[in-house]
Amino acid sequence: MAILVILISSAISFAFASDPDTLQDFCVALPSSSETGVKVNGFACKELSNVTESDFFFNGLANAATINNTVGSVVTAANVEKIPGLNTLGVSLSRIDYKPGGLNPPHTHPRATEVVFVLEGELEVGFVTTSNKLISKTIKEGEVFVFPKGLIHFQKNNNADKPAAVVSAFNSQLPGTLSIAAALFSATPAVPDDVLALAFKIDAQDVSNIKTNISSKK
């Protein structure tokens, strides 16, 4: 009997740990609710009478974006902030464009697994496990690679002459992005210099130099 109770309790806990089914056809995000107020896995719903086809449409991924930064890549997001109709649906897309030699620096998505599909070019991609193992591969046009939720990952265009591009899919309407270098060296308020120096085994001047370099590249 005790074992049966444990099994039933485990099953109930598992059931309530997953996302519930939606109780309506959709819940288009109300623009004002994305700016203020408490948000719990979504935004307030727009009145049905005010919903239009434009709430489910976005053409921002059709063309390559202009790249004006030193890392040589740019991300164009198609998430709930761009497509209000994605609210509560748990999916989104992005397009990433890379200059020749461009890098999408190490980062994480705390709320989503990412799948990339190569539109053009060839990329070196990889992620690091919690046991510090690097899983990496070179991928080319038409191929797919997966980055598990929350793990540090990157993409680099190794071609010195040709650009590259991918489309990324996420199982979140707003996956979030945490850039490792920027988070540590340009946080506000700042992470204490002695913490960074000790963590990376560098001196205070090195910390200052890195902060200056990252700040100048924003």
Side-chain angles (χ1 to χ4, degrees), residues 73-96:
S73 72
V74 65
V75 179
T76 304
N79 54 37
V80 69
E81 294 176 336
K82 301 290 181 63
I83 309 173
L86 287 178
N87 190 36
T88 75
L89 299 185
V91 294
S92 62
L93 293 174
S94 287
R95 173 177 175 141
I96 313 173

Side-chain angles (χ1 to χ4, degrees), residues 167-186:
V167 168
S168 298
F170 303 92
N171 60 338
S172 169
Q173 67 184 39
L174 198 60
T177 300
L178 184 66
S179 175
I180 306 305
L184 290 171
F185 290 93
S186 64

